[in-house]
Amino acid sequence: MTRVLVTGAGGFVGPHLRAALETSGHEVWCTDRTLAIAPQQIPCELTDADGTRALVERVRPEAVVHLAGLS
């Protein structure tokens, strides 16, 4: 099992990726600017360096899937 951090998890792809990772047995942590529905979903503004650093220190992910961004 791998601990995975998914940024931008509130977008179109995020929920699908989270479900697939969890089905595969991974521990999934999610972040988005406003997402905070469950304990493993943490709001974070990635342009805030201190906040992002604190998020990574808290979650200690083994892998990161970066979906956050403007399209």
Side-chain angles (χ1 to χ4, degrees), residues 5-17:
L5 173 62
V6 179
T7 67
F12 178 76
V13 176
H16 301 285
L17 176 61

Side-chain angles (χ1 to χ4, degrees), residues 1-29:
M1 176 173 71
T2 302
R3 183 178 305 120
V4 181
L5 173 62
V6 179
T7 67
F12 178 76
V13 176
H16 301 285
L17 176 61
R18 179 184 185 168
L21 289 169
E22 287 176 340
T23 298
S24 297
H26 300 288
E27 177 185 343
V28 182
W29 288 77

Side-chain angles (χ1 to χ4, degrees), residues 51-70:
T52 301
R53 186 176 302 109
L55 170 71
V56 172
E57 288 174 358
R58 176 179 173 187
V59 175
R60 307 204 51 86
E62 298 167 81
V64 176
V65 180
H66 182 55
L67 301 177
L70 297 174

